[in-house]
Amino acid sequence: MADSTLVNEYSMHTATCGQLRASDAGAEVVLTGWAWHTRDHGGLIFIDLRDRMGYTQIVVDPDCVSAEDFAKAEHIGREYVLRIEGKVRLRAEDAVNPAMATGEIEVLAQSLQILNTSVTPPFVIEDGIETDETTRMKWRYLDLRRPEMYANLELRHTVMQAMRRALDERGFIEVETPILANSTPEGARDYIVPSRPNPGKFYALPQSPQQFKQMLMAAGVERYFQIARCFRDEDLRADRQPEFTQVDIEMSFVTEDDVMTMMESVMHEVFAKVGLDLPIPLPRMPYAEAMERYGCDRPDVRFGMELHDITDIVKDSGFKVFSSVAQSGGVVKAINAKGAGDWSRGDVEKLADIAAANGAKGMAWIAFTTDGQEKSPIIKFFTDEEFAALKEALDAQPGDLVLFAADTPAVANAVLSALRLHMADALDIPREGHKLLWVVDFPMFKYDEDEKKYAAEHHPFSKIKAEDMDKIESDTLACGSYAYDIVMDGYELGGGSIRIHDAEEQRRVLRVLGLTDEDIDEKFGHMIHALELGTPPHGGIALGLDRLIMLLAGKDSIRDVIAFPKTSSASDPMTGAPSTVTPRQLKEVDLRLL
C-alpha cells in the first residue's frame, strides 16, 4: 500500500482513506472515518468515507453484509463516524473517477460499525464553502475537518519541522523562554496577568522573547532558536492576531551578513521541503530605496507601478497645491496605473477615500483615455513643457491613469503605496509565485508625532551604525542601524538586527527614547547588568511563522492557518473567550471591577 507508514499497530484501521490504489485490489482492509456523502443506488448503498488523508468509496451490498449492518447503512447521516471492514476491488472501467486519488478502486464492505452519530452539521464539510467566517470559527473543529483546512495544518507542521531540522543542523539549540515576564515598553500594549502571591503586581505576556534571547547570548549559548508564542494587545487585521507564533533566532559573534546568509540557506531548505525553489542569495534593497520606489518598507516587487518623484517638475507650476508643497520642503509623487485611463470620473474620485485614509488632504489625477484624450481638472495649470515632462517621467500612454500625492514624504509614500496595491487588485495585475528580498539599512529612530518623542524604528536594542554613534543625541533622526527585514510578497516576513552589546550605548539609546536613568534601571536593569558582564557581539532575527504559512498556502488571512484563531475583536466564538470571572477569582488576585 502507498504511504503505509501512516498506519501502525496503534490504529483501529489498516489503511487511511486516501491510501488505497489499484495495486491493492484483493486486499482485506479496515477503514475508519466520517461519512462524507451517502447514496442509495437500487439496493446498493455507496458511502464516501473521509479521513485526514482523503476519501474512499465504500459499497454496502446486502448480499455481502449482515441484515443488521445493511439496516445501519440505510440510516447513516453526514459526519457519522464509521469503521468498515471489507475487500478492495477495482471499479468498473466506466466508474473510474480520475479526479480522486483512490478513484480506481472501491471497498466492498463486509461489516460496518457506527462508532458515533452526528446531528446535522451547521455547514457542509467540504472545500469552497461560502459560510461566514464567524460561523466557521464557532464550529472550528468541524471547519478543520475540511480538506483545505487540514492541508493548512499539515503545511504548517511541515514548515515547522523543516525549520527545526535546518537550524539543528547549523548548531542551534532550542531553548524555551518564560511566558510570564516583566512589562517593558516594546511598542505594543502588553497583556498583563495579576500575580496572586504578589498583590498589586503583574506579569506581562511576552511581545517577543527579545530580552531573554539576548540574555542567552550573555550566557554563552551562542546559537539559540525557539518556535515561540508571542502576545500583543493591538488592533487586529488579516495578518495579525493577539497571540501568534514566530521562529526566534539569535547568534553570537556574527555580522548582519552572517545572519542574513544563514537565514537564506534555512529558507531555501524550507521552501524545498514544500516543493518550491527559492533562488539565493536574496536581493537586498536599502530602506531609503524601498520608500522612494514603493512607498513602504515591505514592497511587493512582483509587479511594477513604482512611485515617481516629480517634485522638481512641478515646483514652479501654476497648480498651487503642488508648488506650495514642493517649495515648503514636501514632495510630489505619482504612480501610473496602466489600464485605468478609461475609468469614469466617479470611479476615479472614489480613490480619494483611500488617499484620505492614509493621511492625504486630497488626491489629484490625470486620465489618458484610449481614444487619445487627456482628462483632469489640473491639466490647465501646467505649461506645455511641464506637462510633457510629466508624461515622460511617468511614461504616460493612452489608457493610463496617473495618481498624485503631494505632502510630507511620509504621507505621500503612504498614500501612493496604498493606492498602488489597491490598483493592482482592481486591475487584476498578475502577482504569481513568491518574491523574497531583504530590506536593509533601516534608520534607528523615528519621531512619534502623537507622543511627541523619539521612538525606535525596529526596537531599542538594535545597534547603531558605527559612523553614526556621535549623532545619537545631536542628530537623532540621522542615525542608521544594523537592522534588516525579510520581505515576502509585500509582507514583512521577519525582522532582525545586530544588537547593542555595550551597556553605555544601550543607556544612551534608551535616554533618547525618553527614559530616565531610574526608568532604565527599573525596566531594563537586568539587560544593562548583562551587557556590563561580558556579553559578546550578537544579532538575530524573528520570522513570522503564521504569515509565512499564510503566503505559502495562498490565503488572505492568518486565521486560515492557525488552528484556533481569534476574530478581529480578539474573541473566540467557539469557547466564548474572553469571559467574565467570579468575584472570588478577582478577590484572590486583589482586583475589583469599577
Side-chain angles (χ1 to χ4, degrees), residues 146-165:
R146 298 191 302 113
E148 64 180 336
M149 292 300 292
Y150 179 79
N152 293 341
L153 294 185
E154 194 170 39
L155 174 64
R156 187 183 183 101
H157 166 78
T158 299
V159 169
M160 290 173 69
Q161 296 310 310
M163 283 281 184
R164 281 193 163 99
R165 281 191 295 270

Side-chain angles (χ1 to χ4, degrees), residues 345-409:
R345 180 164 182 163
D347 286 340
V348 172
E349 292 184 343
K350 287 177 183 177
L351 299 174
D353 293 337
I354 299 171
N358 287 275
K361 302 176 184 66
M363 188 197 73
W365 54 272
I366 301 175
F368 298 84
T369 65
T370 53
D371 62 5
Q373 298 185 60
E374 297 162 347
K375 297 180 177 180
S376 172
I378 71 170
I379 293 177
K380 60 187 178 184
F381 295 106
F382 299 111
T383 65
D384 291 343
E385 291 77 9
E386 289 169 342
F387 193 62
L390 278 177
K391 290 176 65 176
E392 181 179 358
L394 292 159
D395 185 30
Q397 306 291 333
D400 295 351
L401 175 66
V402 174
L403 304 172
F404 299 90
D407 214 301
T408 63

Side-chain angles (χ1 to χ4, degrees), residues 249-454:
I249 298 169
E250 199 77 3
M251 309 162 64
S252 292
F253 304 109
V254 291
T255 66
E256 56 186 336
D257 286 337
D258 296 326
V259 178
M260 287 188 281
T261 301
M262 180 280 303
M263 197 67 229
E264 288 175 354
S265 68
V266 169
M267 292 295 288
H268 180 79
E269 289 189 19
V270 170
F271 271 56
K273 192 66 179 178
V274 297
L276 298 173
D277 178 48
L278 177 64
I280 55 175
L282 299 179
R284 299 187 184 186
M285 181 181 295
Y287 170 88
E289 180 183 343
M291 298 303 293
E292 180 68 18
R293 294 173 57 191
Y294 298 98
C296 68
D297 57 9
R298 54 185 190 284
D300 189 340
V301 297
R302 293 175 299 172
F303 68 102
M305 210 188 303
E306 295 184 15
L307 281 59
H308 296 269
D309 190 331
I310 57 166
T311 308
D312 287 344
I313 296 173
V314 301
K315 64 183 179 181
D316 298 317
S317 74
F319 187 45
K320 296 303 181 184
V321 172
F322 286 1
S323 59
S324 61
V325 165
Q327 292 170 15
S328 62
V331 296
V332 183
K333 302 181 79 170
I335 59 172
N336 183 350
K338 290 184 172 295
D342 289 328
W343 280 21
S344 71
R345 180 164 182 163
D347 286 340
V348 172
E349 292 184 343
K350 287 177 183 177
L351 299 174
D353 293 337
I354 299 171
N358 287 275
K361 302 176 184 66
M363 188 197 73
W365 54 272
I366 301 175
F368 298 84
T369 65
T370 53
D371 62 5
Q373 298 185 60
E374 297 162 347
K375 297 180 177 180
S376 172
I378 71 170
I379 293 177
K380 60 187 178 184
F381 295 106
F382 299 111
T383 65
D384 291 343
E385 291 77 9
E386 289 169 342
F387 193 62
L390 278 177
K391 290 176 65 176
E392 181 179 358
L394 292 159
D395 185 30
Q397 306 291 333
D400 295 351
L401 175 66
V402 174
L403 304 172
F404 299 90
D407 214 301
T408 63
V411 171
N413 285 334
V415 168
L416 292 180
S417 175
L419 287 170
R420 175 178 180 265
L421 295 175
H422 175 84
M423 295 305 293
D425 288 336
L427 296 169
D428 291 324
I429 293 176
R431 282 175 276 181
E432 299 173 354
H434 302 293
K435 288 288 182 69
L436 283 78
L437 73 152
W438 291 102
V439 176
V440 299
D441 298 333
F442 276 79
M444 178 66 191
F445 301 102
K446 60 185 177 182
Y447 190 74
D448 188 324
E449 292 289 350
D450 295 329
E451 297 290 333
K452 303 300 180 186
K453 65 177 185 179
Y454 294 113

